[in-house]
């Protein structure tokens, strides 16, 4: 059974879609760099928030202080 929300498991999905812009940053037109940087910072924030949530969950399940 595919993970919840994954409707098309056969389609390639970047491992960290929130940060995928970084892979093509050097190919972007200079006029799009500001937008891309903003998107990358937002993506970074989402990844960090997800890691923190995962850490809290592990701590709560493992009863680690």
């Amino acid at each position: 059974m595919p993970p919840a929300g994954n409707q098309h498991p056969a389609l390639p999905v970047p491992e960290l879609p929130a940060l995928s812009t970084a892979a093509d940053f050097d190919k972007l037109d200079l006029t799009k760099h500001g937008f891309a940087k903003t998107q990358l910072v937002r993506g970074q924030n989402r990844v960090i928030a997800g890691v923190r949530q995962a850490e809290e969950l592990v701590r709560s399940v493992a009863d680690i202080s």
Side-chain angles (χ1 to χ4, degrees), residues 21-46:
T21 303
D24 297 322
F25 190 82
D26 61 332
K27 297 174 189 146
L28 292 175
D29 186 274
L30 289 175
T31 61
K32 300 198 183 207
H33 278 194
F35 174 76
K37 286 179 185 179
T38 300
Q39 292 301 100
L40 286 168
V41 169
R42 289 177 180 163
Q44 173 184 296
N45 292 341
R46 282 193 299 275

Side-chain angles (χ1 to χ4, degrees), residues 6-15:
N6 189 352
Q7 299 290 323
H8 305 284
L11 297 176
V13 177
E15 291 184 27

